[in-house]
């Protein structure tokens, strides 16, 4: 999963490099805005992956072939429906995106070109999110790696062919992504059918009662994602109000966050699968054992990141910018970046635990409490510190999420397990 995670930002580098060598900067800016609108929507729909992983892992733990197949068909069905809905509402979605970003007329034109091509991949992209989640729950992580690598390499190759050889511009970059998205979805279906092909879907799996339960789980996950996105969006928007330098510094610092996510998400995905399997088998001691095992690995990775940032943080900043003023502006934040993985790994790990347990309500509640009770109040108290206050608030928010999730786990799961044991 760590290797699979690495392929996505590498693809972003290829997209940027291809468009960055065009004759003007407007195509790159336009494609970035068009892509941002869709990727933010896809990110919010990440509840599909979370619910699919938890349900799939628990079905595996119960050793129920019917439940394993049912979770695959149900979550993939939701992905298709959401993708078709986005395709239908593409024009209002684009209008809202343009209103929020307010690009120039030239950039807006390129953004529209990119968006109107790329949006046709929405049904495949959202279905793939569900399939990837289901495969992780089945512990088919090697298949996930292959799917991600094949799709991203195809996307990168088509980028070069469509833009540099055929001169298709931003529409070529968008078309490359669409083809890659459908290819990845087809590969995911092939792998899934090899696992469940002998179990045929029945209408009852898609009835109102079944979908009501699934949508309740997805609804709680959606609210959780929206609360998290609100905090990250506030950091970006408020940082922009502090000026161009602060905006650029925040863009650099967010790369440190992306770096820790590569490793910590890999651990969390593994925990989702193993905890979910233990929960499905009703093995409470197994859930606790897998949680503690994941916590050990998560701590090791976090310490490794902290030491790396301590010793090489300035070198990382230099790799990201050669502008001296920007480098000097980013340097005071490096101590915060050292603390980032140490404080954040708890929430990554326990997110994985609660996904495996399919306790979406607890994830929703702890996220909202951390956002409204910690993130925004901390920023408000420290707001005179300017841009730095946003990062202190983010660190406090991540720590609060870890503490509230772990507290909920030990209070409602471990203590009950001890009482029953």
């Amino acid at each position: 999963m760590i290797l699979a995670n690495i392929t996505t930002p590498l693809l972003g580098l290829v997209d940027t490099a291809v468009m960055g060598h065009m004759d003007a900067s407007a195509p790159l800016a336009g494609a970035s805005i068009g892509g941002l609108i869709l990727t933010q929507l896809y990110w919010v729909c990440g509840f599909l992956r979370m619910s699919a992983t938890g349900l799939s892992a628990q079905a595996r733990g119960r050793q129920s072939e019917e439940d394993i197949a049912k979770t695959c068909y149900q979550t993939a069905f939701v992905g298709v429906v959401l993708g078709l809905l986005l395709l239908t509402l593409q024009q209002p979605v684009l209008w809202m995106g343009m209103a929020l970003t307010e690009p120039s007329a030239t950039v807006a034109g390129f953004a529209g070109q990119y968006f109107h091509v790329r949006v046709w991949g929405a049904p495949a992209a959202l279905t793939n999110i569900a399939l990837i989640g289901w495969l992780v729950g089945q512990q088919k992580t090697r298949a996930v790696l292959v799917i991600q690598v094949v799709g991203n390499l195809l996307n990168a190759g088509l980028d070069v062919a469509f833009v540099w050889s055929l001169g298709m511009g931003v529409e070529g970059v968008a078309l490359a992504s669409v083809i890659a998205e459908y290819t990845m979805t087809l590969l995911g279906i092939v792998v899934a059918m090899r696992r469940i092909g002998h179990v045929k879907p029945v209408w009852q799996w898609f009835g109102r009662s079944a979908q009501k339960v699934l949508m309740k789980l997805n609804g709680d996950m959606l609210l959780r994602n929206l609360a998290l996105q609100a905090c990250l969006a506030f950091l970006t928007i408020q940082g922009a109000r502090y000026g161009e330098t602060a905006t650029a510094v925040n863009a650099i610092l967010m790369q440190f966050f992306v770096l820790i996510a590569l490793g910590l998400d890999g651990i969390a995905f593994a925990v989702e699968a193993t905890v979910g399997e233990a929960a499905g088998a009703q093995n409470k001691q197994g859930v606790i054992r897998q949680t503690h095992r994941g916590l050990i690995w998560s701590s090791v990775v976090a310490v490794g990141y902290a030491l790396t940032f301590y010793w090489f943080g300035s070198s990382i900043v230099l790799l990201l910018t050669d502008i001296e003023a920007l480098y000097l502006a980013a340097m005071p934040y490096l101590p915060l970046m050292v603390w980032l993985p140490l404080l954040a790994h708890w929430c990554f790990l326990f997110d994985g635990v609660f996904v495996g347990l399919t306790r979406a309500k607890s994830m929703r509640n702890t996220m909202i409490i951390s956002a409204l009770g910690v993130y925004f109040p901390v920023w408000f108290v420290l707001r005179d510190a300017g841009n730095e206050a946003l990062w202190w608030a983010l660190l406090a928010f991540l720590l609060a999420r870890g503490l509230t999730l772990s507290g909920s786990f030990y209070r409602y799961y471990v203590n009950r397990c001890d009482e029953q044991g």
Side-chain angles (χ1 to χ4, degrees), residues 256 303-317 327 331 334 337-338:
F256 283 83
V303 170
Y305 273 122
L307 292 175
T308 300
F309 293 165
Y310 180 80
W311 290 109
F312 303 107
S314 59
S315 299
I316 295 173
V317 174
Y327 171 79
M331 289 304 292
L334 285 185
M337 297 303 100
V338 173

Side-chain angles (χ1 to χ4, degrees), residues 386-398:
N387 190 62
E388 191 172 338
L390 293 169
W391 288 94
W392 280 111
L394 181 64
L395 290 179
F397 166 70
L398 294 171

Side-chain angles (χ1 to χ4, degrees), residues 183-344:
T183 300
M184 293 168 71
T185 300
L186 289 174
L187 291 175
I189 291 173
V190 169
V191 175
M193 289 300 101
R194 291 180 62 182
R195 176 68 180 86
I196 63 169
H198 59 286
V199 181
K200 304 301 179 185
V202 296
W203 174 249
Q204 287 78 2
W205 292 355
F206 307 98
R208 180 175 299 179
S209 59
Q211 289 301 317
K212 183 178 180 180
V213 174
L214 187 61
M215 293 312 296
K216 176 62 170 63
L217 175 62
N218 284 333
D220 288 334
M221 293 286 195
L222 172 61
L223 291 175
R224 175 257 183 204
N225 286 359
L226 288 174
L228 174 58
Q229 187 63 22
C231 294
L232 296 178
F234 181 82
L235 187 150
T236 301
I237 295 171
Q238 187 64 30
R241 293 174 179 170
Y242 293 132
E244 182 179 332
T245 299
T247 303
V249 166
N250 288 346
I252 291 173
L253 298 179
M254 285 305 297
Q255 299 311 305
F256 283 83
F257 191 84
V258 170
L259 284 172
I260 71 167
L262 296 176
L264 296 180
D265 266 341
I267 302 296
F269 290 169
V271 169
E272 291 171 11
T274 56
V275 166
E277 182 179 12
Q282 298 184 349
N283 182 358
K284 293 185 177 180
Q285 288 295 339
V287 169
I288 296 172
R289 183 169 59 253
Q290 294 297 341
T291 299
H292 289 165
R293 181 178 295 172
L295 189 56
I296 291 172
W297 279 106
S298 181
S299 300
V300 169
V301 172
V303 170
Y305 273 122
L307 292 175
T308 300
F309 293 165
Y310 180 80
W311 290 109
F312 303 107
S314 59
S315 299
I316 295 173
V317 174
L318 279 174
L319 287 174
L320 296 171
T321 180
D322 58 359
I323 302 173
E324 183 178 1
L326 193 53
Y327 171 79
L328 294 175
M331 289 304 292
Y333 292 86
L334 285 185
L336 297 181
M337 297 303 100
V338 173
W339 280 104
L340 179 63
L342 299 175
L343 299 180

Side-chain angles (χ1 to χ4, degrees), residues 11-27:
L11 175 63
L13 291 176
V14 175
D15 283 348
T16 302
V18 169
M19 291 182 291
H21 284 81
M22 292 182 182
D23 295 335
S25 61

Side-chain angles (χ1 to χ4, degrees), residues 100 120 127 142 182 212 235 266 278 319 342 371:
L100 290 172
W120 286 94
T127 302
R142 183 172 297 177
Y182 278 100
K212 183 178 180 180
L235 187 150
L319 287 174
L342 299 175

